[in-house]
Amino acid sequence: MSSEEQLSELIGQIYDCAIDSALWRTTLPTIAAYLDCSATLINIVRPSIGNRSIYSLHDYGLSHDAGQLYLEKYAHIDPTVRAGALFDVDEVFTAREAVGDDIWTASPMYHEWNIPHGLTEHLSGIIRKDVVRIAALTALREQPFFDVDRDRMRLLLPHLRRSVSIAQMIGDATVDRDRFREIVDRLTVAVFLVDSKGVVRHANASGEKMLADGNVLRSRNGRLMALAPKDQAELVASIERGHLGQAAVPLTAADGNKLVATILPLNDGFRRPSCVPRVAAAVFVDNPAGKINFRGDIVAKLFNLTGAELQLLLALLDGATLQSAAGQFGVSMATVKTHLQHIFAKTDTSRQSELIRKIASMMPSVSLQ
């Protein structure tokens, strides 16, 4: 069978999986053969603090013991999980590119899990990405990946994205109105469900409190309003452009603090329950009283952080010391201190406490109570 015929048949199998998810058991081996790898996985990753980091949805080529060992012992210290948030939909990257070759090869997981299982090379591609999770395809093998492998994975990603919805992945494709609002109401972050004109159709408790306080956002004739005219114009434009994808809008509070509103479009069928047709977007805004739990990719882009620097920043926000972070990542204290100095320079801070306050004051929390 030619490469074109093989790809055509594989794409057909991928779309068949949209109808019957059980077909992933036979489709993933075909994907593995197409990518010339030993194992393939489709995962949901939550690159934020305080949550279980990774959910394996479908996998092929891993023994039960290997999969269980990874989830129980290594998933929470996998250096690629959070650094993967740096990449956008359809981007393809290796583990070494995500965190740096030195951190990857020095990590405990690499020596204790990857090497023994002969899976030292990882190639991943982002299928879907929203405010709280990332869906990714990962191929694993012992030999390095090359440009031909990257090109082949890129060809598959759009078809995977169309076939596998985030709602199907997390089991809430049939969520009803009450359950949908229950999920929103349990978030500690302020959340507003708005229509295409910014009219608030529902706000959770944190959102109602934020509107009542009037220090960050207000409601005028039912419409979500930012205090600063410039912020308001960008907020409205981002909601109206929802079909173009997720956006982050800076907000200035009455006391001068900087926050970020993350607009997640809900007009795609994979996100919006059919029972809530008037809702066009969910707007997530920082709740300073909530648990620090934020979008690492936004932080990285704001301050031009590398994967290794983002990994260290997230660990520090999660309560790690420099010494414990060095042990977790399998690098020397000198390396960790170098990364920290780079973070200080890029964020215009000079102490860890100052750094944490600055990041926590501007990023949206999305943890569940």
Side-chain angles (χ1 to χ4, degrees):
M1 183 183 298
S2 68
S3 178
E4 291 77 11
E5 290 173 330
Q6 185 182 10
L7 176 61
S8 178
E9 182 173 320
L10 176 53
I11 289 173
Q13 292 182 37
I14 288 172
Y15 284 115
D16 286 342
C17 293
I19 301 172
D20 183 359
S21 62
L23 293 175
W24 283 114
R25 288 196 299 267
T26 55
T27 301
L28 281 178
T30 309
I31 291 177
Y34 183 69
L35 297 176
D36 191 21
C37 60
S38 303
T40 52
L41 308 93
I42 295 178
N43 289 330
I44 286 287
V45 174
R46 297 175 182 268
S48 52
I49 297 171
N51 288 321
R52 177 182 169 190
S53 299
I54 189 165
Y55 295 75
S56 182
L57 302 174
H58 309 287
D59 64 81
Y60 162 77
L62 290 181
S63 69
H64 175 75
D65 290 344
Q68 284 296 109
L69 179 63
Y70 173 79
L71 291 175
E72 293 173 3
K73 186 174 180 179
Y74 296 106
H76 71 287
I77 61 170
D78 183 345
T80 68
V81 169
R82 289 171 177 169
L86 294 169
F87 299 90
D88 294 324
V89 170
D90 284 343
E91 279 199 87
V92 174
F93 55 93
T94 66
R96 297 172 189 271
E97 292 168 338
V99 299
D101 188 75
D102 55 341
I103 289 181
W104 175 241
T105 56
S107 66
M109 189 187 83
Y110 182 84
H111 288 279
E112 299 169 13
W113 190 86
N114 292 92
I115 291 178
H117 292 98
L119 301 172
T120 53
E121 304 300 324
H122 291 200
L123 182 69
S124 297
I126 306 300
I127 301 171
R128 280 282 193 185
K129 188 175 184 180
D130 63 33
V131 72
V132 293
R133 62 183 66 85
I134 299 169
L137 169 69
T138 298
L140 306 88
R141 70 186 188 193
E142 192 168 15
Q143 300 78 24
F145 286 97
F146 301 103
D147 288 344
V148 64
D149 305 304
R150 296 170 185 268
D151 292 341
R152 285 192 165 203
M153 180 173 281
R154 288 191 189 97
L155 289 173
L156 297 182
L157 294 177
H159 304 290
L160 288 166
R161 182 164 57 258
R162 297 179 190 121
S163 176
V164 183
S165 74
I166 293 295
Q168 288 172 324
M169 287 181 177
I170 61 176
D172 60 2
T174 58
V175 68
D176 59 22
R177 181 190 299 269
D178 292 338
R179 178 57 180 157
F180 181 67
R181 289 186 172 176
E182 177 189 343
I183 293 170
V184 169
D185 290 342
R186 289 179 60 199
L187 296 173
T188 60
V189 63
V191 184
F192 307 92
L193 304 180
V194 299
D195 66 15
S196 60
K197 299 301 181 183
V199 175
V200 179
R201 299 299 182 180
H202 180 74
N204 66 357
S206 297
E208 293 283 6
K209 184 177 185 304
M210 184 170 284
L211 292 178
D213 292 341
N215 295 322
V216 180
L217 292 167
R218 297 173 182 171
S219 174
R220 181 178 301 167
N221 296 325
R223 194 180 190 192
L224 196 63
M225 302 288 294
L227 268 63
K230 180 180 178 182
D231 295 348
Q232 175 62 16
E234 190 170 351
L235 180 66
V236 171
S238 296
I239 292 171
E240 291 180 345
R241 293 195 306 265
H243 65 284
L244 298 178
Q246 181 185 314
V249 176
L251 297 175
T252 303
D255 58 6
N257 282 338
K258 300 293 184 180
L259 296 89
V260 174
T262 302
I263 291 86
L264 174 66
L266 298 176
N267 51 0
D268 285 341
F270 86 97
R271 292 198 192 102
R272 187 192 68 199
S274 58
C275 59
V276 195
R278 294 181 298 175
V279 173
V283 180
F284 297 77
V285 184
D286 163 58
N287 175 4
K291 188 176 181 179
I292 301 172
N293 195 0
F294 61 85
R295 290 288 308 280
D297 56 339
I298 293 177
V299 173
K301 289 177 180 179
L302 284 173
F303 298 108
N304 194 30
L305 301 181
T306 66
E309 291 162 1
L310 174 62
Q311 186 80 357
L312 174 59
L313 175 59
L314 289 167
L316 294 177
L317 288 168
D318 207 14
T321 64
L322 289 182
Q323 185 172 3
S324 64
Q328 177 178 332
F329 304 144
V331 298
S332 67
M333 277 292 291
T335 297
V336 170
K337 288 180 179 179
T338 298
H339 289 326
L340 182 61
Q341 291 305 315
H342 291 165
I343 295 171
F344 283 159
K346 292 178 179 181
T347 58
D348 194 24
T349 57
S350 57
R351 299 189 306 276
Q352 289 186 46
S353 58
E354 181 186 5
L355 171 67
I356 291 173
R357 283 197 303 272
K358 181 169 187 173
I359 300 301
S361 70
M362 62 186 298
M363 295 309 302
S365 164
V366 292
S367 61
L368 288 173
Q369 294 175 330

